[in-house]
Short mmCIF file of all heavy atoms in Angstrom, two decimals:
data_model
loop_
_atom_site.label_atom_id
_atom_site.label_comp_id
_atom_site.label_asym_id
_atom_site.label_seq_id
_atom_site.Cartn_x
_atom_site.Cartn_y
_atom_site.Cartn_z
N PRO A 1 0.82 -1.22 0.01
CA PRO A 1 -0.02 0.01 0.00
C PRO A 1 0.85 1.24 0.03
O PRO A 1 1.89 1.32 0.69
CB PRO A 1 -0.82 -0.11 1.32
CG PRO A 1 -0.80 -1.58 1.59
CD PRO A 1 0.47 -2.16 1.08
N ALA A 2 0.47 2.21 -0.79
CA ALA A 2 1.16 3.50 -0.85
C ALA A 2 1.01 4.24 0.45
O ALA A 2 0.00 4.20 1.10
CB ALA A 2 0.61 4.36 -2.00
N PRO A 3 2.12 4.92 0.88
CA PRO A 3 2.00 5.78 2.09
C PRO A 3 0.99 6.87 1.89
O PRO A 3 0.77 7.29 0.76
CB PRO A 3 3.37 6.34 2.22
CG PRO A 3 4.29 5.48 1.41
CD PRO A 3 3.43 4.91 0.30
N THR A 4 0.40 7.32 2.97
CA THR A 4 -0.47 8.50 2.88
C THR A 4 0.32 9.66 2.39
O THR A 4 1.45 9.86 2.79
CB THR A 4 -1.08 8.78 4.29
OG1 THR A 4 -1.81 7.61 4.73
CG2 THR A 4 -2.03 9.90 4.23
N VAL A 5 -0.29 10.48 1.53
CA VAL A 5 0.43 11.59 1.00
C VAL A 5 -0.33 12.90 1.17
O VAL A 5 -0.37 13.75 0.30
CB VAL A 5 0.71 11.31 -0.54
CG1 VAL A 5 -0.56 11.37 -1.36
CG2 VAL A 5 1.76 12.21 -1.06
N ALA A 6 -1.03 13.09 2.32
CA ALA A 6 -1.71 14.27 2.65
C ALA A 6 -0.74 15.42 2.86
O ALA A 6 0.07 15.36 3.73
CB ALA A 6 -2.62 14.04 3.86
N LEU A 7 -0.90 16.50 2.01
CA LEU A 7 0.04 17.59 2.07
C LEU A 7 -0.71 18.88 1.81
O LEU A 7 -1.65 18.89 1.05
CB LEU A 7 1.17 17.46 1.03
CG LEU A 7 2.25 16.39 1.30
CD1 LEU A 7 3.11 16.19 0.04
CD2 LEU A 7 3.06 16.70 2.50
N PRO A 8 -0.23 19.96 2.35
CA PRO A 8 -0.88 21.28 2.05
C PRO A 8 -0.55 21.73 0.67
O PRO A 8 0.45 21.21 0.05
CB PRO A 8 -0.25 22.20 3.10
CG PRO A 8 1.07 21.64 3.35
CD PRO A 8 0.88 20.12 3.31
N PRO A 9 -1.24 22.69 0.10
CA PRO A 9 -0.87 23.25 -1.18
C PRO A 9 0.38 24.08 -1.14
O PRO A 9 0.82 24.45 0.00
CB PRO A 9 -2.10 24.14 -1.56
CG PRO A 9 -2.66 24.52 -0.25
CD PRO A 9 -2.42 23.37 0.67
N ILE A 10 0.96 24.37 -2.20
CA ILE A 10 2.09 25.33 -2.28
C ILE A 10 1.58 26.68 -1.85
O ILE A 10 0.55 27.15 -2.33
CB ILE A 10 2.65 25.42 -3.72
CG1 ILE A 10 3.23 24.11 -4.21
CG2 ILE A 10 3.69 26.52 -3.83
CD1 ILE A 10 3.56 24.00 -5.65
N PRO A 11 2.17 27.28 -0.86
CA PRO A 11 1.70 28.54 -0.28
C PRO A 11 1.51 29.65 -1.35
O PRO A 11 2.40 29.82 -2.27
CB PRO A 11 2.74 28.96 0.72
CG PRO A 11 3.34 27.68 1.14
CD PRO A 11 3.38 26.85 -0.09
N ASN A 12 0.35 30.27 -1.31
CA ASN A 12 0.01 31.36 -2.25
C ASN A 12 0.00 30.99 -3.73
O ASN A 12 0.11 31.86 -4.59
CB ASN A 12 0.96 32.55 -2.05
CG ASN A 12 0.94 33.05 -0.63
OD1 ASN A 12 -0.14 33.19 -0.04
ND2 ASN A 12 2.09 33.32 -0.09
N ALA A 13 -0.22 29.71 -3.99
CA ALA A 13 -0.36 29.28 -5.35
C ALA A 13 -1.67 29.78 -5.91
O ALA A 13 -2.63 29.97 -5.13
CB ALA A 13 -0.34 27.74 -5.47
N PRO A 14 -1.71 30.16 -7.23
CA PRO A 14 -2.95 30.71 -7.77
C PRO A 14 -4.18 29.86 -7.67
O PRO A 14 -5.27 30.30 -7.50
CB PRO A 14 -2.55 30.99 -9.23
CG PRO A 14 -1.32 30.20 -9.49
CD PRO A 14 -0.66 30.03 -8.20
N SER A 15 -3.93 28.54 -7.79
CA SER A 15 -5.12 27.63 -7.64
C SER A 15 -4.70 26.52 -6.64
O SER A 15 -4.37 25.40 -7.10
CB SER A 15 -5.55 27.04 -8.97
OG SER A 15 -4.45 26.40 -9.60
N PRO A 16 -4.68 26.79 -5.37
CA PRO A 16 -4.15 25.80 -4.40
C PRO A 16 -5.11 24.61 -4.30
O PRO A 16 -6.31 24.77 -4.31
CB PRO A 16 -4.07 26.58 -3.09
CG PRO A 16 -5.11 27.67 -3.28
CD PRO A 16 -5.13 28.05 -4.72
N THR A 17 -4.57 23.45 -4.25
CA THR A 17 -5.37 22.25 -4.01
C THR A 17 -4.86 21.48 -2.84
O THR A 17 -5.62 21.07 -2.04
CB THR A 17 -5.36 21.33 -5.28
OG1 THR A 17 -3.98 20.97 -5.58
CG2 THR A 17 -5.94 22.06 -6.49
N GLY A 18 -3.54 21.27 -2.76
CA GLY A 18 -3.02 20.36 -1.74
C GLY A 18 -3.43 18.97 -2.07
O GLY A 18 -4.06 18.69 -3.13
N ILE A 19 -3.02 18.01 -1.27
CA ILE A 19 -3.29 16.57 -1.48
C ILE A 19 -4.01 16.07 -0.24
O ILE A 19 -3.52 16.15 0.89
CB ILE A 19 -2.04 15.76 -1.73
CG1 ILE A 19 -1.27 16.35 -2.92
CG2 ILE A 19 -2.37 14.29 -1.95
CD1 ILE A 19 0.12 15.72 -3.17
N LYS A 20 -5.22 15.51 -0.42
CA LYS A 20 -6.01 15.01 0.67
C LYS A 20 -5.58 13.55 0.93
O LYS A 20 -4.96 12.89 0.08
CB LYS A 20 -7.51 14.99 0.25
CG LYS A 20 -8.03 16.43 0.11
CD LYS A 20 -9.51 16.36 -0.26
CE LYS A 20 -10.03 17.78 -0.46
NZ LYS A 20 -11.43 17.83 -0.88
N ALA A 21 -5.82 13.10 2.13
CA ALA A 21 -5.42 11.79 2.57
C ALA A 21 -5.94 10.64 1.70
O ALA A 21 -5.36 9.59 1.55
CB ALA A 21 -5.81 11.57 4.06
N ASP A 22 -7.15 10.85 1.12
CA ASP A 22 -7.76 9.82 0.30
C ASP A 22 -7.50 10.01 -1.18
O ASP A 22 -8.16 9.39 -2.02
CB ASP A 22 -9.29 9.76 0.54
CG ASP A 22 -9.99 11.10 0.14
OD1 ASP A 22 -9.25 12.05 -0.21
OD2 ASP A 22 -11.22 11.08 0.14
N ALA A 23 -6.48 10.77 -1.52
CA ALA A 23 -6.21 11.12 -2.92
C ALA A 23 -5.87 9.92 -3.81
O ALA A 23 -6.11 9.93 -4.98
CB ALA A 23 -5.09 12.11 -3.03
N LEU A 24 -5.41 8.82 -3.24
CA LEU A 24 -4.98 7.64 -4.02
C LEU A 24 -6.09 6.60 -4.05
O LEU A 24 -5.90 5.52 -4.59
CB LEU A 24 -3.70 7.05 -3.43
CG LEU A 24 -2.56 8.03 -3.28
CD1 LEU A 24 -1.35 7.28 -2.66
CD2 LEU A 24 -2.15 8.58 -4.63
#
């Protein structure tokens, strides 16, 4: 199983998304 990859978006990015824990 892939490790969890929950991460915040790049700060001040024009269209921030980040990565949610269930992204995979």
Side-chain angles (χ1 to χ4, degrees):
T4 301
V5 70
L7 289 169
I10 296 169
N12 302 316
S15 55
T17 59
I19 302 172
K20 296 180 180 177
D22 63 351
L24 305 179

